[in-house]
């Protein structure tokens, strides 16, 4: 019998770095199948940037549509060492729709994940708003409560910007977890699109102004306190461009949707000399466990 010639064993393929590009592709396909997305001129300026290390790539996309003031995405691809997705959809002020928020940071082995339909108005005190949007979404939130469990204490101030279905989790990288995350992202984005489809424009001027101010407060919070993202962006593209990217791209609207300052909204951060306290949190970190029950009722400490 002829000896069976054996193929030399191939060297183990390097596991290619995980990428968030397919998440972004999904959102564009889904959205475009329902409405026309119009590219914003913003995206030309920041389209594709190479970091100072000459390896890490930053890519942005931004669009508008009839009910959408801005749909934007930032992806950072640094091979095995870092992958970031910062994806958000901001409605026009005529709509009190939640803000879609996916903020995923993946380092060599650790993932830090926030996925939510961030409420435009405070759901811990505004019951009506909670009922309007989150009552029917609670089963969706429950679907991932065990698969993507609460990720330990967080900056307490952040909680007011989160909804009862927020996915706040940390995990070490594995194909399985990334598949679960993708599935959650798909479900949450489809849920947001459904809300958008049914949203009816507000005509009352004072209500529109109220929505606009709420969005401005949100933008002001994230543009100022999105550390620890800031130092990483600064390291990658330098201080000036990082600041520009945060204010004019990621949280575009912070300079135009309202005139209040960070300290007007968050006076507790005022230092004696009138500057903004550099600390990320004045209250500190808390919420060791999920502070909402399965029906969306807030069960945490008083905020
Ligand atoms: C950590 N990012 C975090 C944490 C939250 C968020 C809650 C955990 C630490 C904490 O308790 O603050 C995200 N916080 C949010 C979001 C809202 C909020 C989405 O209030 C919305 C209202 N993050 C970025 C970018 C990078 C990044 C662009 O957005 C990197 C380029 C990195 N986020 C990042 C890192 C950590 C983090 C490195 C962990 C570091 C730490 O916990 O100190």
């Amino acid at each position: 019998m002829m000896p069976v010639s054996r193929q030399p064993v191939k060297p183990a393929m390097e596991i290619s770095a995980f990428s968030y590009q397919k998440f972004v592709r999904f959102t564009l396909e889904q959205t475009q199948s329902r409405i026309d997305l119009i590219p914003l001129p913003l995206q030309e300026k920041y389209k594709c940037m190479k970091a100072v290390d000459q390896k890490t790539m930053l890519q942005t996309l931004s669009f508008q549509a009839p009910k959408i003031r801005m749909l934007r995405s930032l992806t950072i691809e640094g091979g095995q060492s870092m992958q970031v997705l910062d994806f958000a959809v901001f409605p026009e002020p005529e709509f009190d729709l939640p803000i879609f928020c996916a903020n995923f940071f993946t380092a060599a082995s650790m993932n830090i994940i926030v996925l939510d339909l961030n409420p435009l108005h405070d759901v811990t005190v505004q019951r009506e708003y909670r009922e309007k949007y989150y009552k029917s979404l609670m089963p969706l939130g429950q679907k991932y409560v065990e698969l993507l469990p609460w990720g330990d204490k967080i900056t307490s101030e952040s909680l007011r910007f989160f909804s009862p279905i927020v996915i706040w989790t940390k995990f070490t990288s594995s194909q399985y977890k990334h598949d679960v995350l993708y599935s959650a992202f798909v479900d949450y984005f489809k849920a947001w699109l459904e809300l958008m489809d049914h949203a009816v424009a507000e005509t009352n001027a004072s209500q529109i102004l109220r929505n606009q101010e709420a969005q401005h407060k949100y933008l002001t919070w994230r543009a100022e306190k999105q550390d620890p993202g800031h130092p990483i962006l600064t390291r990658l593209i330098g201080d000036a461009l990082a600041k520009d990217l945060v204010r004019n791209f990621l949280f575009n609207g912070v300079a135009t949707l309202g005139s209040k300052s960070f300290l007007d909204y968050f006076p507790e951060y005022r230092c004696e000399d009138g500057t903004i306290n550099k600390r990320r949190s004045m209250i500190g970190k808390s919420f060791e466990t999920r502070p909402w029950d399965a029906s969306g009722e807030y069960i945490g400490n008083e905020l």
Side-chain angles (χ1 to χ4, degrees), residues 26 73 81 91 108 136 155 158 215 230 253 264 268 286 288-289 297:
F26 169 78
S73 125
S81 59
S136 61
T155 300
S158 292
Q215 194 172 138
H230 278 182
D264 291 333
E268 62 280 16
S286 51
E288 217 161 301
T289 54
E297 200 67 46

Side-chain angles (χ1 to χ4, degrees), residues 20-150:
Y20 284 115
Q21 294 300 347
K22 87 167 180 182
F23 290 60
V24 178
R25 268 200 308 276
F26 169 78
T27 64
L28 298 186
E29 282 162 16
Q30 280 291 309
T31 317
Q32 264 155 347
S33 72
R34 297 176 189 231
I35 49 173
D36 280 335
L37 285 176
I38 305 156
L40 282 168
L42 280 174
Q43 89 179 34
E44 287 310 311
K45 182 169 174 196
Y46 308 99
K47 203 167 192 166
C48 191
M49 294 174 281
K50 199 187 253 183
V52 290
D53 65 7
Q54 298 299 317
K55 284 196 310 242
T56 309
M57 297 301 292
L58 293 88
Q59 271 176 292
T60 67
L61 283 173
S62 62
F63 298 92
Q64 62 177 29
K67 296 180 184 177
I68 298 176
R69 187 178 67 78
M70 177 170 72
L71 175 156
R72 57 83 175 149
S73 125
L74 165 71
T75 46
I76 304 179
E77 300 200 89
Q80 305 284 1
S81 59
M82 177 171 52
Q83 298 287 325
V84 175
L85 173 67
D86 187 347
F87 180 90
V89 191
F90 300 97
E92 289 285 3
E94 284 77 13
F95 300 90
D96 67 356
L97 280 167
I99 295 163
F100 184 85
C101 163
N103 197 246
F104 304 162
F105 176 84
T106 297
S109 63
M110 180 48 89
N111 295 267
I112 298 170
I113 304 295
V114 176
L115 173 63
D116 194 19
L117 275 58
N118 286 156
L120 189 66
H121 301 295
D122 188 330
V123 278
T124 52
V125 288
Q126 295 187 37
R127 207 185 175 86
E128 224 175 85
Y129 185 79
R130 197 180 80 204
E131 297 277 306
K132 179 174 177 183
Y133 286 117
Y134 297 99
K135 199 174 171 198
S136 61
L137 292 174
M138 286 317 295
L140 173 60
Q142 286 301 300
K143 182 173 168 188
Y144 293 99
V145 156
E146 279 171 27
L147 290 167
L148 298 168
W150 190 256

Side-chain angles (χ1 to χ4, degrees), residues 224-239:
E224 186 65 42
K225 291 289 170 194
Q226 193 166 53
D227 346 334
H230 278 182
I232 296 178
L233 286 177
T234 303
R235 179 163 57 73
L236 290 174
I237 53 175
D239 188 40

